[in-house]
Amino acid sequence: MGTTVNPVIFDQSPPRKAFSWKSRFSVLCGWITAYLLIRTGWIYSYDDWNALPNFKLKADVLVTKDLCTQAPPLTPHTHAELYKNLSGLYESAAFKLTAVQALGGAVQVPTESYDGMAPVGQDARWEVFGKLHEYLLAEFPLVHSSLKVTKVNTYGIVYHWQGTDKSLKPILLAAHQDVVPVDPLTVKDWVHPPYSGYYDGTYVWGRGSVDDKASLVAILVALETLLASGFVPERSIVVAFGFDEESSGTEGAGRLFDELVSQYGKDSFAFLVDEGAGFGEFYGGLFAIPAIGEKGYLDVKVEVSSPGGHSSVPPRHTSIGILASMLVKYESEPYPAVLNRATPFYQTLTCIGAYAQDISEDLRKLILASIDSDVALTELSNILVQDPLTEAQVGTTQAIDLINGGVKTNALPESAWAIINHRIAVDSSVKATMERSIDLLLPLASKFNLSVTAFGENITDASVPSYGSLTLTDAFDGQLEPAPITPTDSASYRLLSGTILATHKASSAYKNLGREMVIAPGMMTDTKFYWDITRNIYRYVVCSLLYPPNSEFSSYGHSDATAAYAGIHTINEAYKASALVEQVRFFTTLILNADEAPEL
């Protein structure tokens, strides 16, 4: 799953102990940005605000809040009676139990996906997804009898609900069927078994209850309910469920993309909503953070080759030693993190500056002054990057994750390699990241008299004798450019924002909070295969999944607002029943609102 923007490292309260919990593999993406918004606010204090320049603000900045315009809550008009009836249904205990049972049954099917699985048809571990399909067919009979259902690469699913007006672009809702594996050594530590789907009256327990079967089931429950109500859409509705999001996505979403393009064409959907971050309280303000961008990705393999021989007569530097000096070079010169006004991260900052109730006036002043002042922007950036997690959201990151070299203690290693994982800032590129790796290591290659081949090109003259070679490659051919940033001045963004606000206003949990919600765009991951089918990609879940409820960083404790019992990919993954109902309400409202919005 994956990021929302969190630049509040400047709270002037005393620093608190940092909180750590297991997040998903893509720690720099997905929900970590929302995590940062709260966490960083308590790590650092900035005491000497008087030392900052006396920035001048435009007179209307703090009044008009033009920098973070908000759409009004949006509920259906044409379908107002249906919306009212369904809202009443969703408040009932019977409906909650029905939704809970649907999620519990889905959790009971252990659809684990692993790194390095062979393709479908060659790896028996995929076969469990067939059992999930059998369950979904039985649990949602109207969906499977009324909608066109297409299986892609055996276990990917596309549902198509044809609208009456074919001139309207369809909407696309996405989720994934797979879950991360459960470590057998941890089973004893679960309150309820990891694939029990047990409902204790508050939570549905089990792996995948949060990530991402809650979204999958909520979409299907909403469709089943709308079908049962007699709803006939004008705008077509398409649903896509992948099955290997937790590993590579290539077997699932990658093939689904090909199917969707072949059926509908590129840029053929009004918008896409996939899993993402939720909402949280920051500086006294309540912010929902739909993600509108994603970082890029590149694994650089650095391989050094040199002559072998007997270890009793070693050279001054072996392949491993040379590689080690290059890795030290990498870590000693990390990417500079510089705040950029064009990024989703900065948009979240300006929303906080405009709407957070308890933010200090000095901090608010610095954020808003940075809109026009490069000096203020630099000052703000310098404060932000004091925290490593916030710094990771601002710039490109690099992490040395794999290393290998040598076969025996008395044999000189003829080659050694390491892989450096890069998460590329949204204002950078794969090419820039490759070029920086070349620039960083070329002087060392010259020092050790190595020929250099980088990303398929000879950088040095191959005819000149050398001691060995340095080769840089895209380790797994998995490079990914930063995602196109979804515009926030569009009809679809206003519709999504209004739907989010309307959904929360209708929930008892939101009413009990007693404050207005603000929509602030952020960053996340997980939609890399779908970029070409719409410009309007949003990653959002309806409820707060940012912190375990016992955490000192949870604003809501065990209230309805905190949906996850213990986070994602963790022991005791569990999802609150009331949060599941709110997801159903969200997808229902979104479908009805989109159906009467011809401007999409």
Side-chain angles (χ1 to χ4, degrees):
M1 298 187 54
T3 313
T4 19
V5 173
N6 290 11
V8 271
I9 59 174
F10 344 88
D11 188 17
Q12 299 179 43
S13 59
R16 302 187 184 185
K17 182 180 179 181
F19 170 71
S20 174
W21 60 293
K22 291 183 179 180
S23 68
R24 54 184 309 144
F25 172 77
S26 185
V27 67
L28 300 180
C29 307
W31 305 348
I32 195 71
T33 314
Y35 164 63
L36 295 178
L37 267 168
I38 302 176
R39 179 186 185 274
T40 52
W42 285 325
I43 289 182
Y44 292 99
S45 60
Y46 195 91
D47 298 323
D48 193 14
W49 287 104
N50 292 327
L52 294 176
N54 184 25
F55 298 113
K56 296 184 181 299
L57 300 179
K58 293 180 179 179
D60 59 345
V61 165
L62 297 179
V63 178
T64 64
K65 300 178 173 61
D66 290 336
L67 305 170
C68 185
T69 28
Q70 298 294 300
L74 182 63
T75 56
H77 295 285
T78 304
H79 305 298
E81 188 64 25
L82 173 60
Y83 175 75
K84 178 181 178 181
N85 293 337
L86 293 181
S87 295
L89 173 65
Y90 295 160
E91 293 293 330
S92 69
F95 179 84
K96 177 189 286 188
L97 184 59
T98 298
V100 161
Q101 290 172 340
L103 177 57
V107 168
Q108 289 172 9
V109 185
T111 49
E112 296 180 338
S113 67
Y114 299 82
D115 292 334
M117 291 178 72
V120 173
Q122 300 178 28
D123 195 321
R125 290 175 292 181
W126 294 120
E127 294 173 6
V128 68
F129 287 88
K131 296 180 180 179
L132 179 62
H133 290 196
E134 293 173 3
Y135 171 76
L136 298 179
L137 176 63
E139 187 68 24
F140 302 102
L142 292 178
V143 169
H144 288 84
S145 62
S146 304
L147 275 55
K148 177 184 176 183
V149 183
T150 304
K151 297 294 181 70
V152 179
N153 196 19
T154 307
Y155 301 119
I157 312 176
V158 176
Y159 298 95
H160 177 92
W161 191 351
Q162 180 62 51
T164 58
D165 189 343
K166 293 185 178 181
S167 69
L168 299 175
K169 282 187 174 183
I171 65 171
L172 178 60
L173 308 177
H176 61 88
Q177 306 166 60
D178 59 313
V179 303
V180 297
V182 174
D183 184 345
L185 298 177
T186 68
V187 172
K188 67 181 184 304
D189 299 320
W190 285 69
V191 174
H192 300 285
Y195 291 110
S196 64
Y198 179 77
Y199 178 49
D200 63 2
T202 302
Y203 291 96
V204 179
W205 293 80
R207 172 66 83 235
S209 58
V210 178
D211 184 13
D212 180 39
K213 287 181 177 176
S215 293
L216 183 149
V217 167
I219 292 171
L220 291 176
V221 170
L223 294 179
E224 188 83 3
T225 306
L226 286 167
L227 284 164
S229 72
F231 171 67
V232 178
E234 291 189 22
R235 184 185 300 277
S236 294
I237 303 155
V238 180
V239 175
F241 293 153
F243 58 92
D244 64 338
E245 188 273 345
E246 300 294 359
S247 48
S248 65
T250 55
E251 293 287 300
R255 298 288 193 91
L256 287 169
F257 168 76
D258 294 336
E259 176 68 21
L260 292 170
V261 169
S262 68
Q263 285 194 36
Y264 303 97
K266 293 186 177 181
D267 194 25
S268 54
F269 290 88
F271 61 81
L272 161 65
V273 175
D274 200 352
E275 63 174 334
F279 66 89
E281 182 179 353
F282 315 120
Y283 284 133
L286 190 63
F287 293 86
I289 307 180
I292 61 168
E294 303 174 29
K295 278 191 164 188
Y297 187 98
L298 177 67
D299 287 315
V300 175
K301 183 177 183 180
V302 179
E303 185 169 10
V304 174
S305 298
S306 65
H310 200 286
S311 297
S312 61
V313 189
R316 184 175 297 274
H317 302 287
T318 68
S319 295
I320 292 176
I322 296 171
L323 176 64
S325 67
M326 292 182 174
L327 299 183
V328 169
K329 181 71 170 176
Y330 257 107
E331 291 202 337
S332 65
E333 297 187 26
Y335 282 79
V338 179
L339 195 59
N340 187 322
R341 294 185 183 97
T343 63
F345 188 93
Y346 186 75
Q347 291 188 56
T348 302
L349 268 179
T350 56
C351 287
I352 290 172
Y355 286 97
Q357 300 168 12
D358 298 336
I359 192 172
S360 73
E361 285 306 307
D362 288 316
L363 175 54
R364 189 193 308 275
K365 182 179 180 181
L366 183 61
I367 293 173
L368 298 179
S370 71
I371 296 158
D372 298 310
S373 167
D374 291 341
V375 175
L377 182 68
T378 300
E379 189 67 42
L380 182 61
S381 182
N382 290 339
I383 296 172
L384 284 172
V385 300
Q386 292 178 57
D387 177 73
L389 291 177
T390 306
E391 181 184 21
Q393 301 308 306
V394 175
T396 298
T397 62
Q398 57 189 33
I400 302 168
D401 292 325
L402 297 174
I403 189 168
N404 184 69
V407 294
K408 203 172 186 302
T409 56
N410 63 351
L412 297 175
E414 294 174 331
S415 69
W417 58 262
I419 294 178
I420 298 93
N421 173 258
H422 297 78
R423 305 302 173 96
I424 304 170
V426 295
D427 53 344
S428 185
S429 67
V430 169
K431 181 180 179 182
T433 307
M434 288 179 172
E435 289 176 345
R436 187 176 185 278
S437 292
I438 296 171
D439 293 342
L440 198 66
L441 300 184
L442 199 57
L444 285 173
S446 176
K447 172 184 175 181
F448 293 112
N449 189 24
L450 304 178
S451 63
V452 180
T453 302
F455 307 106
E457 295 186 14
N458 292 325
I459 305 301
T460 56
D461 187 348
S463 65
V464 176
S466 62
Y467 173 70
S469 65
L470 168 65
T471 305
L472 304 181
T473 57
D474 176 356
F476 306 109
D477 293 324
Q479 62 181 260
L480 182 70
E481 294 289 352
I485 296 175
T486 298
T488 57
D489 58 353
S490 65
S492 63
Y493 184 78
R494 290 189 292 273
L495 183 139
L496 177 73
S497 299
T499 300
I500 292 171
L501 294 174
T503 301
H504 287 303
K505 280 183 174 295
S507 71
S508 58
Y510 177 82
K511 293 173 183 175
N512 292 337
L513 292 174
R515 69 197 73 185
E516 294 298 316
M517 178 174 282
V518 175
I519 309 296
M523 288 195 306
M524 183 137 176
T525 58
D526 298 337
T527 64
K528 61 185 179 182
F529 292 104
Y530 294 144
W531 295 352
D532 287 342
I533 58 180
T534 179
R535 293 182 64 237
N536 302 306
I537 297 177
Y538 307 106
R539 305 92 172 160
Y540 186 74
V541 292
V542 178
C543 299
S544 175
L545 303 176
L546 308 183
Y547 298 94
N550 290 327
S551 161
E552 64 174 312
F553 294 96
S554 171
S555 303
Y556 309 108
H558 280 281
S559 75
D560 283 343
T562 304
Y565 178 85
I568 57 173
H569 298 190
T570 65
I571 297 169
N572 291 324
E573 183 177 347
Y575 196 66
K576 190 164 284 186
S578 56
L580 177 63
V581 173
E582 292 311 304
Q583 280 197 276
V584 176
R585 188 195 306 275
F586 168 74
F587 287 118
T588 301
T589 310
L590 184 68
I591 290 169
L592 295 177
N593 279 338
D595 199 62
E596 49 188 61
E599 67 275 13
L600 291 179

